[in-house]
Amino acid sequence: MDEAPELRLLFHRLNNQLGIILAHAELLEAKAADDASRARAAQVVSSTLEAMGTAKEIRQRTSLGSVEPQ
């Protein structure tokens, strides 16, 4: 990637944080005692996956001259 090392580090940290959120949400979803709790955890999973996709898109758009088609 052509972005500055600082920007690359920020994206790496963001992806690590989102990955941790995703793992915990999936665990909560799997261990939920009732449908309401399971649905809330599933929403966190879905939102986290969406956020990861958004972060990837931002990274692609901020990379100098390297925008990949989706």
Side-chain angles (χ1 to χ4, degrees), residues 6-68:
E6 299 86 15
L7 188 56
R8 184 177 298 144
L9 179 61
L10 286 173
F11 278 113
H12 181 74
R13 286 175 42 204
L14 177 59
N15 281 323
N16 283 347
Q17 292 162 349
L18 289 171
I20 291 166
I21 294 166
L22 179 61
H24 284 284
E26 288 174 335
L27 184 61
L28 287 171
E29 184 181 18
K31 295 186 175 230
D34 56 70
D35 289 340
S37 296
R38 205 168 4 268
R40 282 192 295 273
Q43 181 60 47
V44 175
V45 169
S46 176
S47 296
T48 304
L49 290 170
E50 194 173 320
M52 291 172 103
T54 301
K56 180 179 179 180
E57 186 175 346
I58 292 168
R59 183 175 183 175
Q60 290 171 345
R61 290 177 186 231
T62 58
S63 295
L64 302 174
S66 63
V67 177
E68 298 174 17

